[in-house]
Amino acid sequence: MNKDDEIRRGHNAGRIVNDPLFVEAVEAVRGRLLSIMETAKTDEATLHANTCLGLLNEIRQHLVRVMTDGKLAAESIKLEQDKRSWWQRVA
């Protein structure tokens, strides 16, 4: 994957992570899973809800990581352009 692809993916991930509907959905599912954990009658049910909560967090973390990678790729491109510009001025 090239840097332009990383930037594009980063923007897309940022839109998702910051979308109010996505935030609402994550919080609703998180709340439901916590409620299940508090009221579960078996250890198995608690473990299952905890596993689901972990997966929900992993989804969000993955999107944040893709967003961060996109920002880093954009900064890398900017630094390369600044470097070229500096060498052109010096030459």
Side-chain angles (χ1 to χ4, degrees):
M1 178 178 333
N2 64 38
K3 289 181 182 179
D4 289 330
D5 290 338
E6 286 185 43
I7 293 169
R8 180 185 46 77
R9 286 171 42 91
H11 286 299
N12 289 340
R15 280 198 310 267
I16 293 168
V17 167
N18 295 312
D19 185 284
L21 186 57
F22 179 77
V23 172
E24 177 187 332
V26 168
E27 286 305 311
V29 171
R30 182 178 182 277
R32 179 70 180 123
L33 290 169
L34 290 173
S35 175
I36 290 169
M37 289 172 65
E38 290 173 358
T39 60
K41 296 191 183 345
T42 65
D43 290 342
E44 184 179 344
T46 302
L47 180 60
H48 182 69
N50 190 42
T51 300
C52 291
L53 186 60
L55 292 171
L56 181 65
N57 289 332
E58 284 185 38
I59 290 169
R60 189 176 185 294
Q61 287 173 354
H62 177 76
L63 290 169
V64 169
R65 193 169 32 255
V66 170
M67 183 176 66
T68 301
D69 288 349
K71 289 178 182 178
L72 291 173
E75 186 61 30
S76 174
I77 289 174
K78 184 181 179 325
L79 287 173
E80 289 173 15
Q81 290 170 343
D82 290 349
K83 189 177 180 181
R84 271 188 244 124
S85 175
W86 184 84
W87 279 110
Q88 288 172 349
R89 284 193 309 256
V90 187

